[in-house]
Amino acid sequence: MKRFQILSGLPAYGELPEQFSSTGMGTHSEGMVVEFFPNETSSSWIGNFQRGLTSLDKVLAHPNGSSAIVIAGGECYIIEIENRKLKESFGGMYETVFCIFEKNIVILGTSIDFDALNASGHLWQSQRISWDGLRHLKQEENILSGEAWSLGNTWIPFSLDIDSGKHTGGAKI
């Protein structure tokens, strides 16, 4: 069953959308609009999510199986679909997402570090890996790897353990 979908904009009619903002501001303007489908017997509802500071817009199932992770312009919102409640908002600068289905983990990446969520909530936050930029990111088995920007305009390889959030390599901070 489909639990959510991103819409192209606010609907012109129907019930007013639920407003979500990490700062309490901007709820008078259109953000990222998502339609949620609680269950087969309940009607859908619309959420309007104010964006953070990046271009990443994505909605995915939370590892807990009942909530949704909404990333609007890099700002992360954890939403309880059934009761239209915001459990938590954080971030603002997420640029990448990795879903590790076999471990039931979602990894969110900024330009300098990573955060991981599991069914219980926050699993770990990595230490800073880059001065300002990560590229060539890939996930293979239990490792997330790529290159981290360092002073002198150089790119330094790094690898990060998905279970612990510990990394080797990367920029010297």
Side-chain angles (χ1 to χ4, degrees), residues 64-131:
N64 68 15
S66 62
S67 299
I69 299 171
V70 176
I71 304 166
E75 181 69 34
C76 187
Y77 299 89
I78 309 297
I79 302 297
E80 292 179 354
I81 297 172
E82 299 296 326
N83 61 15
R84 305 180 182 203
K85 296 288 184 199
L86 173 67
K87 287 179 70 175
E88 181 179 10
S89 67
F90 54 92
M93 295 185 59
Y94 291 114
E95 298 177 344
T96 58
V97 177
F98 290 89
C99 296
I100 318 299
F101 296 108
E102 61 275 7
K103 293 183 174 283
N104 205 25
I105 295 173
V106 173
I107 298 176
L108 306 167
T110 70
S111 64
I112 61 172
D113 62 7
F114 296 94
D115 295 307
L117 303 173
N118 66 7
S120 300
H122 292 273
L123 180 60
W124 51 255
Q125 181 176 18
S126 75
Q127 291 185 336
R128 188 171 183 167
I129 297 172
S130 172
W131 278 98

Side-chain angles (χ1 to χ4, degrees), residues 4-6 32 34 36 57-61 68-71:
F4 41 76
Q5 71 178 3
I6 297 175
M32 182 178 143
V34 179
F36 294 94
D57 287 341
K58 194 165 187 78
V59 184
L60 50 138
I69 299 171
V70 176
I71 304 166

Side-chain angles (χ1 to χ4, degrees), residues 7-18:
L7 302 179
S8 60
L10 289 168
Y13 55 89
E15 188 178 333
L16 289 174
E18 299 288 335

Side-chain angles (χ1 to χ4, degrees), residues 148-170:
W149 188 84
S150 187
L151 298 177
N153 201 23
T154 58
W155 291 92
I156 314 276
F158 74 90
S159 61
L160 179 135
D161 180 272
I162 289 171
D163 291 325
S164 69
K166 304 286 186 213
H167 76 279
T168 57

